[in-house]
Amino acid sequence: MKITLVGLGCNRGDLSVRAKEAITSGAKTILRTALAQSAQSVQDCGVEYSSLDYIYEKSRNFDTLNKNLARAVLKESATSDVVYCVDGDVNDDNSCRI
């Protein structure tokens, strides 16, 4: 199955047209975290989604966090297409830093 990576921007309303199309495509939508302001954009689309916030709580450090996040997304993509939504810009890791 296919994984589409979507950057949600930094704030509610930063979602691009192409990102909204991916989120509303019918694929399973997974948020890296529902705690970021940008996650409101997914809620505004009115689609069902799940978040990986529980993985943050059980990961010991950033290395294990990233491995656990990747593992969870890959597991979901084994049975359906997935739209994996992350806060910020997927091409710029520092896009939402203050």
Side-chain angles (χ1 to χ4, degrees), residues 41-62:
S41 296
V42 176
Q43 293 173 359
D44 293 345
C45 290
V47 299
E48 285 188 38
Y49 64 89
S50 59
S51 81
L52 301 178
D53 288 316
Y54 70 95
I55 293 177
Y56 281 83
E57 297 168 8
K58 74 175 191 174
S59 298
R60 294 175 296 189
N61 56 48
F62 282 113

mmCIF file of all heavy atoms in Angstrom, residues 41-62:
data_model
loop_
_atom_site.group_PDB
_atom_site.id
_atom_site.type_symbol
_atom_site.label_atom_id
_atom_site.label_comp_id
_atom_site.label_asym_id
_atom_site.label_seq_id
_atom_site.Cartn_x
_atom_site.Cartn_y
_atom_site.Cartn_z
ATOM 1 N N SER A 41 -6.338 21.568 11.527
ATOM 2 C CA SER A 41 -6.649 21.570 10.097
ATOM 3 C C SER A 41 -7.227 20.232 9.660
ATOM 4 O O SER A 41 -8.107 20.178 8.802
ATOM 5 C CB SER A 41 -5.401 21.892 9.275
ATOM 6 O OG SER A 41 -4.953 23.202 9.548
ATOM 7 N N VAL A 42 -6.733 19.152 10.227
ATOM 8 C CA VAL A 42 -7.269 17.825 9.899
ATOM 9 C C VAL A 42 -8.677 17.688 10.468
ATOM 10 O O VAL A 42 -9.587 17.196 9.791
ATOM 11 C CB VAL A 42 -6.345 16.706 10.422
ATOM 12 C CG1 VAL A 42 -6.951 15.329 10.171
ATOM 13 C CG2 VAL A 42 -4.974 16.806 9.771
ATOM 14 N N GLN A 43 -8.871 18.144 11.683
ATOM 15 C CA GLN A 43 -10.212 18.110 12.272
ATOM 16 C C GLN A 43 -11.184 18.921 11.427
ATOM 17 O O GLN A 43 -12.335 18.520 11.241
ATOM 18 C CB GLN A 43 -10.173 18.641 13.704
ATOM 19 C CG GLN A 43 -9.388 17.742 14.632
ATOM 20 C CD GLN A 43 -9.206 18.350 16.022
ATOM 21 O OE1 GLN A 43 -9.655 19.450 16.304
ATOM 22 N NE2 GLN A 43 -8.515 17.608 16.879
ATOM 23 N N ASP A 44 -10.744 20.051 10.887
ATOM 24 C CA ASP A 44 -11.588 20.896 10.044
ATOM 25 C C ASP A 44 -12.005 20.190 8.756
ATOM 26 O O ASP A 44 -13.026 20.544 8.163
ATOM 27 C CB ASP A 44 -10.872 22.202 9.687
ATOM 28 C CG ASP A 44 -10.661 23.111 10.887
ATOM 29 O OD1 ASP A 44 -11.306 22.898 11.940
ATOM 30 O OD2 ASP A 44 -9.820 24.040 10.779
ATOM 31 N N CYS A 45 -11.233 19.190 8.317
ATOM 32 C CA CYS A 45 -11.581 18.426 7.109
ATOM 33 C C CYS A 45 -12.725 17.444 7.356
ATOM 34 O O CYS A 45 -13.315 16.926 6.414
ATOM 35 C CB CYS A 45 -10.360 17.665 6.595
ATOM 36 S SG CYS A 45 -9.079 18.713 5.891
ATOM 37 N N GLY A 46 -13.006 17.169 8.620
ATOM 38 C CA GLY A 46 -14.119 16.291 8.962
ATOM 39 C C GLY A 46 -13.879 14.820 8.688
ATOM 40 O O GLY A 46 -14.833 14.069 8.482
ATOM 41 N N VAL A 47 -12.638 14.396 8.670
ATOM 42 C CA VAL A 47 -12.326 12.985 8.423
ATOM 43 C C VAL A 47 -11.954 12.292 9.732
ATOM 44 O O VAL A 47 -11.531 12.934 10.692
ATOM 45 C CB VAL A 47 -11.158 12.821 7.417
ATOM 46 C CG1 VAL A 47 -11.519 13.429 6.073
ATOM 47 C CG2 VAL A 47 -9.877 13.434 7.945
ATOM 48 N N GLU A 48 -12.118 10.987 9.749
ATOM 49 C CA GLU A 48 -11.643 10.213 10.897
ATOM 50 C C GLU A 48 -10.124 10.152 10.828
ATOM 51 O O GLU A 48 -9.540 10.076 9.747
ATOM 52 C CB GLU A 48 -12.198 8.792 10.852
ATOM 53 C CG GLU A 48 -13.644 8.698 11.237
ATOM 54 C CD GLU A 48 -14.092 7.254 11.372
ATOM 55 O OE1 GLU A 48 -13.306 6.414 11.869
ATOM 56 O OE2 GLU A 48 -15.220 6.986 10.962
ATOM 57 N N TYR A 49 -9.500 10.187 11.990
ATOM 58 C CA TYR A 49 -8.043 10.097 12.045
ATOM 59 C C TYR A 49 -7.653 9.467 13.371
ATOM 60 O O TYR A 49 -8.441 9.398 14.304
ATOM 61 C CB TYR A 49 -7.394 11.480 11.902
ATOM 62 C CG TYR A 49 -7.715 12.419 13.030
ATOM 63 C CD1 TYR A 49 -6.926 12.459 14.183
ATOM 64 C CD2 TYR A 49 -8.827 13.251 12.974
ATOM 65 C CE1 TYR A 49 -7.239 13.307 15.234
ATOM 66 C CE2 TYR A 49 -9.143 14.106 14.011
ATOM 67 C CZ TYR A 49 -8.341 14.123 15.135
ATOM 68 O OH TYR A 49 -8.651 14.958 16.169
ATOM 69 N N SER A 50 -6.417 9.014 13.419
ATOM 70 C CA SER A 50 -5.839 8.548 14.676
ATOM 71 C C SER A 50 -4.542 9.314 14.881
ATOM 72 O O SER A 50 -3.996 9.892 13.938
ATOM 73 C CB SER A 50 -5.574 7.041 14.642
ATOM 74 O OG SER A 50 -4.687 6.717 13.592
ATOM 75 N N SER A 51 -4.080 9.365 16.119
ATOM 76 C CA SER A 51 -2.814 10.042 16.382
ATOM 77 C C SER A 51 -1.851 9.070 17.046
ATOM 78 O O SER A 51 -2.256 8.062 17.610
ATOM 79 C CB SER A 51 -3.016 11.275 17.264
ATOM 80 O OG SER A 51 -3.106 10.911 18.613
ATOM 81 N N LEU A 52 -0.588 9.415 16.957
ATOM 82 C CA LEU A 52 0.465 8.585 17.535
ATOM 83 C C LEU A 52 1.008 9.200 18.824
ATOM 84 O O LEU A 52 2.128 8.901 19.227
ATOM 85 C CB LEU A 52 1.582 8.374 16.505
ATOM 86 C CG LEU A 52 1.140 7.705 15.202
ATOM 87 C CD1 LEU A 52 2.317 7.579 14.240
ATOM 88 C CD2 LEU A 52 0.518 6.347 15.463
ATOM 89 N N ASP A 53 0.208 10.015 19.482
ATOM 90 C CA ASP A 53 0.646 10.647 20.733
ATOM 91 C C ASP A 53 1.079 9.621 21.778
ATOM 92 O O ASP A 53 2.010 9.868 22.541
ATOM 93 C CB ASP A 53 -0.457 11.544 21.304
ATOM 94 C CG ASP A 53 -0.644 12.803 20.484
ATOM 95 O OD1 ASP A 53 0.369 13.413 20.101
ATOM 96 O OD2 ASP A 53 -1.801 13.172 20.229
ATOM 97 N N TYR A 54 0.431 8.478 21.804
ATOM 98 C CA TYR A 54 0.785 7.449 22.788
ATOM 99 C C TYR A 54 2.221 6.960 22.614
ATOM 100 O O TYR A 54 2.861 6.523 23.565
ATOM 101 C CB TYR A 54 -0.193 6.270 22.714
ATOM 102 C CG TYR A 54 -0.067 5.442 21.454
ATOM 103 C CD1 TYR A 54 0.717 4.296 21.440
ATOM 104 C CD2 TYR A 54 -0.710 5.807 20.274
ATOM 105 C CE1 TYR A 54 0.858 3.533 20.290
ATOM 106 C CE2 TYR A 54 -0.590 5.059 19.120
ATOM 107 C CZ TYR A 54 0.194 3.924 19.138
ATOM 108 O OH TYR A 54 0.325 3.184 17.996
ATOM 109 N N ILE A 55 2.749 7.053 21.411
ATOM 110 C CA ILE A 55 4.126 6.612 21.163
ATOM 111 C C ILE A 55 5.123 7.565 21.809
ATOM 112 O O ILE A 55 6.168 7.140 22.293
ATOM 113 C CB ILE A 55 4.384 6.440 19.655
ATOM 114 C CG1 ILE A 55 3.527 5.269 19.139
ATOM 115 C CG2 ILE A 55 5.858 6.217 19.367
ATOM 116 C CD1 ILE A 55 3.632 5.024 17.660
ATOM 117 N N TYR A 56 4.798 8.843 21.849
ATOM 118 C CA TYR A 56 5.672 9.809 22.525
ATOM 119 C C TYR A 56 5.845 9.418 23.987
ATOM 120 O O TYR A 56 6.934 9.516 24.549
ATOM 121 C CB TYR A 56 5.082 11.230 22.455
ATOM 122 C CG TYR A 56 5.296 11.916 21.131
ATOM 123 C CD1 TYR A 56 4.435 11.676 20.059
ATOM 124 C CD2 TYR A 56 6.341 12.803 20.952
ATOM 125 C CE1 TYR A 56 4.620 12.318 18.845
ATOM 126 C CE2 TYR A 56 6.534 13.443 19.754
ATOM 127 C CZ TYR A 56 5.671 13.190 18.698
ATOM 128 O OH TYR A 56 5.864 13.814 17.500
ATOM 129 N N GLU A 57 4.768 8.992 24.605
ATOM 130 C CA GLU A 57 4.795 8.666 26.033
ATOM 131 C C GLU A 57 5.616 7.420 26.343
ATOM 132 O O GLU A 57 6.199 7.309 27.405
ATOM 133 C CB GLU A 57 3.363 8.484 26.531
ATOM 134 C CG GLU A 57 2.543 9.757 26.419
ATOM 135 C CD GLU A 57 1.062 9.536 26.627
ATOM 136 O OE1 GLU A 57 0.660 8.420 27.012
ATOM 137 O OE2 GLU A 57 0.297 10.491 26.389
ATOM 138 N N LYS A 58 5.654 6.479 25.403
ATOM 139 C CA LYS A 58 6.367 5.230 25.695
ATOM 140 C C LYS A 58 7.783 5.160 25.132
ATOM 141 O O LYS A 58 8.500 4.204 25.388
ATOM 142 C CB LYS A 58 5.549 4.031 25.210
ATOM 143 C CG LYS A 58 5.528 3.838 23.718
ATOM 144 C CD LYS A 58 4.800 2.559 23.356
ATOM 145 C CE LYS A 58 5.006 2.209 21.899
ATOM 146 N NZ LYS A 58 4.450 0.922 21.554
ATOM 147 N N SER A 59 8.200 6.190 24.395
ATOM 148 C CA SER A 59 9.545 6.186 23.802
ATOM 149 C C SER A 59 10.548 6.820 24.755
ATOM 150 O O SER A 59 10.268 7.840 25.381
ATOM 151 C CB SER A 59 9.537 6.933 22.469
ATOM 152 O OG SER A 59 8.681 6.284 21.546
ATOM 153 N N ARG A 60 11.722 6.217 24.851
ATOM 154 C CA ARG A 60 12.742 6.665 25.800
ATOM 155 C C ARG A 60 13.506 7.891 25.348
ATOM 156 O O ARG A 60 13.962 8.690 26.146
ATOM 157 C CB ARG A 60 13.728 5.534 26.066
ATOM 158 C CG ARG A 60 13.116 4.356 26.788
ATOM 159 C CD ARG A 60 14.111 3.255 26.886
ATOM 160 N NE ARG A 60 14.398 2.837 25.493
ATOM 161 C CZ ARG A 60 15.087 1.788 25.153
ATOM 162 N NH1 ARG A 60 15.620 1.042 26.081
ATOM 163 N NH2 ARG A 60 15.263 1.473 23.910
ATOM 164 N N ASN A 61 13.704 8.034 24.027
ATOM 165 C CA ASN A 61 14.455 9.165 23.493
ATOM 166 C C ASN A 61 14.031 9.392 22.044
ATOM 167 O O ASN A 61 13.180 8.671 21.525
ATOM 168 C CB ASN A 61 15.966 8.929 23.614
ATOM 169 C CG ASN A 61 16.398 7.645 22.944
ATOM 170 O OD1 ASN A 61 16.023 7.372 21.806
ATOM 171 N ND2 ASN A 61 17.178 6.830 23.644
ATOM 172 N N PHE A 62 14.611 10.396 21.392
ATOM 173 C CA PHE A 62 14.188 10.714 20.034
ATOM 174 C C PHE A 62 14.516 9.607 19.039
ATOM 175 O O PHE A 62 13.779 9.413 18.070
ATOM 176 C CB PHE A 62 14.767 12.050 19.574
ATOM 177 C CG PHE A 62 14.029 13.216 20.144
ATOM 178 C CD1 PHE A 62 14.644 14.061 21.049
ATOM 179 C CD2 PHE A 62 12.720 13.469 19.796
ATOM 180 C CE1 PHE A 62 13.961 15.142 21.584
ATOM 181 C CE2 PHE A 62 12.021 14.535 20.323
ATOM 182 C CZ PHE A 62 12.644 15.378 21.220
#
